[in-house]
Amino acid sequence: MINHRAIKVIYQNEMTRFFHTLFQSIASPVISTALYFVVFGSAIGSSINSIEGVSYALFIVPGLTMLSVLTQSVSNASFGIFFPKFTGTIYEILSAPISFYEALIGYVGAAASKSMILATIILITASFFVDLNIAHPIWMVAFLVLTCISFSLFGFIIGLWAGNFEKLQVVPILIITPLVFLGGSFYSVSMLPPFWQTVTMFNPVLYLVSGFRWSFFEVSDVSVTTSLAMILIFLLICFTLIAWMFKTGYKLKE
Amino acid sequence: MSSIVSIKNLSKTYDSGFEALNSINLDINKGEILALLGPNGAGKTTLISTICGIISPTSGSVSVDGNDIIKDFRKTRKIIGLVPQELTLGAFDKVWSTVNFSRGLFNRKKDDAYLKKLLKDLSLFDKKDSELRTLSGGMKRRVLIAKALSHQPKILFLDEPTAGVDVELRKDMWKIVRKLKSSGVTIILTTHYIEEAQSIADRVGVINEGELLLVEKTKTLMERLGKKQLIVELKEKAYQLPETLNKYKLELNEDGSLITYTYNAKDGGTGISKLLGAISEAGLVVKDLQINESSLEDIFVNLVKKL
């Protein structure tokens, strides 16, 4: 029997935290998105030719959204589970009649929901700067949901693994941000020299951004099926890792 | 009396190699108050944490109300409430929302009337909309108790409930504990305050270095190990005990004004009247008499010292 009430209260509790800091939660992505549009879209973008028939300001919308979604998913989910571990309140989760997976649904579900809300806000902000037409809305939502969930899972792993605040912040800053910037968020991979094109192929974020961008403009660096497959593989890896952590009680139970 | 918690050969060795529990066997009776006594690091918290599911045992088993704590963890945890030793609470949650959160975690339907009464009993109701970080230490402790009771558990674990708690809260707490006991709740508490274990517990278990040294009815324990002391105050100081008194194993204090006679109240003859006769025969004049009963604390210190 699934303890649905526990999932619900964990989810609600996490969402309450989000709404308590609503201004911070929303203001920072909105402001940074607006800044990117002013700098890249209007100032620099006007002197850049359109990429594969898409104006530069429009071209960066999916990448910009992914940048926020990825960093926020990881930081929200990692913080969500790290904090109870840090303060000790996790004793309640561990002593409650709930399985690790139910707790996971609550925490990761909340982190993914926050990222979805954020993505929606960013896209709305973007629509004030550019004329946004989404070619495949259903695929767009599918890519977004899958990305939010898989990176929230990844964040959950980071939160479990991190022993201190430093480690908690290192991953988003040193791994996620570089991967997003180098994953073709702000340029088409075809603009790179061949060697760097090959290197970029090893960057998982490339596949996310490419697939997501395809759902907007039908323009992509790699095929959509490859993008989808890569996201699913990443999701599977995160899930396997979490399953192993739960089975062994890694960093949760002694 | 039927047992509600049954612990069999429970051992726990931490990854560091520290052996916190060494083959513990213990049956906790339904409806009793059991006090676990032991010095810091004795394994009290490890034992409680294992039963509650926070720590995985290395070997052995625990069943709660007939269910295994690992295989049937949903059934066992649902009837257990835990008040941890540390004041572990979120900072920004409000009192009302945090007790509702706890109730939900334990898969209980919302029940505002019950929670309202619970907060009132704990003198927390007027703080129900306060953020947890704004509360004093004592209030936080009350919130932890409210959280532990939010799902109406049948078994309540109180880990060092009176550590750093003022007199008023301590009194309130024991009032609540007694009330819970009368409603049939089984209570297990760990404490350093031995007088409290003595006054509130039906049984006392003594743990040291991961081993359960003994579990005994508080009264029996006091009787079995309870030594009494007769202190005789002399009118005139004696510089040495007369030889005629040698067979009584007496102690004379430094300035020679007090003679201490230690005896066991359970022994048939205490030998007091003979001793008093011998004292006056030896020419000493008794000014006053005093009898000290050894407390649980003395018993405890003796036990731990011996092993």
Side-chain angles (χ1 to χ4, degrees):
Chain A
M1 232 270 290
I2 287 177
N3 184 348
H4 61 94
R5 287 198 190 94
I7 299 176
K8 195 175 135 199
V9 290
I10 292 174
Y11 181 86
Q12 280 174 341
N13 203 43
E14 288 298 295
M15 292 310 278
T16 312
R17 204 156 47 82
F18 175 69
F19 289 115
H20 266 184
T21 52
L22 196 62
F23 183 73
Q24 284 154 268
S25 309
I26 289 174
S28 98
V30 168
I31 290 172
S32 64
T33 308
L35 287 175
Y36 276 109
F37 275 113
V38 171
V39 175
F40 290 112
S42 309
I44 300 174
S46 56
S47 56
I48 297 177
N49 291 332
S50 63
I51 301 172
E52 295 177 52
V54 180
S55 79
Y56 187 69
L58 200 54
F59 183 85
I60 61 171
V61 172
L64 214 50
T65 313
M66 278 296 173
L67 173 66
S68 283
V69 165
L70 259 54
T71 36
Q72 290 302 314
S73 295
V74 171
S75 74
N76 273 327
S78 61
F79 197 77
I81 187 66
F82 175 81
F83 207 63
K85 244 179 45 175
F86 178 73
T87 57
T89 52
I90 194 147
Y91 85 88
E92 216 182 357
I93 306 281
L94 293 176
S95 63
I98 85 174
S99 71
F100 286 148
Y101 290 98
E102 286 156 356
L104 182 75
I105 296 171
Y107 280 110
V108 169
S113 304
K114 290 176 205 173
S115 300
M116 284 298 291
I117 296 172
L118 218 65
T120 312
I121 294 170
I122 291 171
L123 289 176
I124 292 170
T125 313
S127 71
F128 286 105
F129 293 88
V130 288
D131 198 6
L132 207 55
N133 274 315
I134 302 166
H136 305 283
I138 294 174
W139 278 108
M140 193 277 280
V141 173
F143 271 114
L144 202 56
V145 170
L146 281 174
T147 309
C148 289
I149 293 175
S150 47
F151 275 81
S152 295
L153 279 175
F154 183 62
F156 193 83
I157 294 171
I158 302 299
L160 279 184
W161 161 81
N164 52 43
F165 275 99
E166 210 178 3
K167 279 187 184 169
L168 196 66
Q169 282 163 343
V170 152
V171 174
I173 294 170
L174 290 189
I175 299 178
I176 301 296
T177 310
L179 283 182
V180 176
F181 272 85
L182 301 175
S185 299
F186 302 106
Y187 52 85
S188 168
V189 179
S190 58
M191 295 157 82
L192 294 172
F195 173 74
W196 290 108
Q197 280 194 30
T198 316
V199 171
T200 309
M201 289 299 155
F202 291 97
N203 182 348
V205 176
L206 167 76
Y207 301 91
L208 297 176
V209 174
S210 172
F212 193 50
R213 185 177 290 134
W214 171 84
S215 68
F216 282 81
F217 318 123
E218 296 186 302
V219 169
S220 63
D221 289 320
V222 290
S223 84
V224 185
T225 357
T226 316
S227 287
L228 196 63
M230 289 302 278
I231 297 178
L232 291 174
I233 288 171
F234 184 67
L235 190 71
L236 196 70
I237 292 173
C238 289
F239 198 75
T240 314
L241 208 57
I242 283 180
W244 172 81
M245 282 172 142
F246 284 173
K247 199 161 177 256
T248 56
Y250 175 81
K251 301 252 178 152
L252 267 174
K253 273 193 184 191
E254 283 196 87
Chain B
M1 231 191 273
S2 61
S3 89
I4 192 160
V5 178
S6 179
I7 303 166
K8 296 220 158 55
N9 301 317
L10 188 71
S11 294
K12 173 68 190 178
T13 307
Y14 285 106
D15 293 342
S16 60
F18 176 68
E19 197 181 33
L21 296 177
N22 184 5
S23 201
I24 302 269
N25 283 291
L26 172 65
D27 278 297
I28 300 167
N29 299 325
K30 208 175 232 169
E32 76 171 333
I33 299 179
L34 174 73
L36 292 172
L37 285 176
N40 285 328
K44 301 181 301 271
T45 301
T46 304
L47 180 60
I48 289 183
S49 302
T50 308
I51 301 170
C52 293
I54 297 166
I55 290 174
S56 308
T58 309
S59 63
S61 66
V62 181
S63 71
V64 174
D65 208 14
N67 297 304
D68 184 75
I69 54 157
I70 293 169
K71 235 173 45 211
D72 297 313
F73 72 94
R74 286 182 204 270
K75 286 183 193 155
T76 65
R77 290 186 199 170
K78 202 172 172 183
I79 59 166
I80 294 178
L82 166 67
V83 181
Q85 188 173 343
E86 310 284 339
L87 295 175
T88 41
L89 283 170
F92 301 103
D93 298 330
K94 291 185 173 147
V95 174
W96 184 250
S97 69
T98 200
V99 289
N100 269 291
F101 175 74
S102 301
R103 191 174 165 88
L105 270 188
F106 283 78
N107 206 3
R108 285 273 191 175
K109 238 193 343 218
K110 261 180 93 71
D111 185 345
D112 288 354
Y114 170 75
L115 290 182
K116 205 170 149 183
K117 187 174 177 300
L118 179 65
L119 291 190
K120 279 189 174 152
D121 286 349
L122 285 160
S123 316
L124 272 174
F125 193 68
D126 53 334
K127 298 268 184 201
K128 77 179 174 60
D129 295 317
S130 304
E131 283 189 1
L132 297 173
R133 69 195 165 106
T134 63
L135 300 179
S136 66
M139 281 295 168
K140 282 182 180 159
R141 177 81 54 190
R142 284 171 200 259
V143 174
L144 286 172
I145 298 171
K147 279 165 80 74
L149 294 175
S150 67
H151 61 284
Q152 293 148 289
K154 286 188 198 164
I155 305 168
L156 180 68
F157 287 92
L158 294 155
D159 197 358
E160 305 271 349
T162 47
V165 154
D166 64 17
V167 181
E168 199 186 340
L169 174 52
R170 205 179 294 177
K171 265 194 206 153
D172 278 5
M173 194 134 55
W174 297 138
K175 216 163 72 189
I176 293 161
V177 165
R178 289 205 174 90
K179 214 166 122 187
L180 286 169
K181 180 189 154 73
S182 68
S183 70
V185 176
T186 309
I187 295 145
I188 296 99
L189 57 96
T190 70
T191 181
H192 279 147
Y193 295 96
I194 292 165
E195 329 77 75
E196 275 172 354
Q198 199 173 331
S199 73
I200 200 163
D202 299 311
R203 288 199 303 161
V204 174
V206 179
I207 297 187
N208 192 36
E209 293 179 353
E211 285 186 53
L212 191 62
L213 302 181
L214 66 85
V215 189
E216 196 105 48
K217 279 194 176 148
T218 316
K219 220 178 125 210
T220 322
L221 183 66
M222 299 294 299
E223 278 172 8
R224 187 161 75 89
L225 293 163
K227 284 188 177 142
K228 286 191 170 181
Q229 286 182 326
L230 173 70
I231 296 165
V232 180
E233 194 179 336
L234 301 173
K235 201 166 180 189
E236 279 167 31
K237 288 176 186 174
Y239 296 99
Q240 207 182 342
L241 281 174
E243 271 178 31
T244 50
L245 296 178
N246 274 356
K247 60 173 176 175
Y248 292 99
K249 285 184 198 149
L250 302 177
E251 272 174 62
L252 186 69
N253 75 335
E254 258 176 44
D255 75 349
S257 63
L258 300 172
I259 296 172
T260 306
Y261 171 57
T262 307
Y263 63 99
N264 199 322
K266 267 196 79 192
D267 293 348
T270 56
I272 291 177
S273 51
K274 273 189 193 153
L275 172 69
L276 291 177
I279 288 176
S280 69
E281 267 172 36
L284 299 170
V285 183
V286 175
K287 186 179 165 195
D288 200 1
L289 290 175
Q290 196 188 332
I291 288 173
N292 284 345
E293 219 168 324
S294 64
S295 66
L296 201 47
E297 179 148 16
D298 303 326
I299 296 170
F300 174 69
V301 169
N302 272 333
L303 256 177
V304 174
K305 238 193 321 198
K306 232 185 275 171
L307 290 142

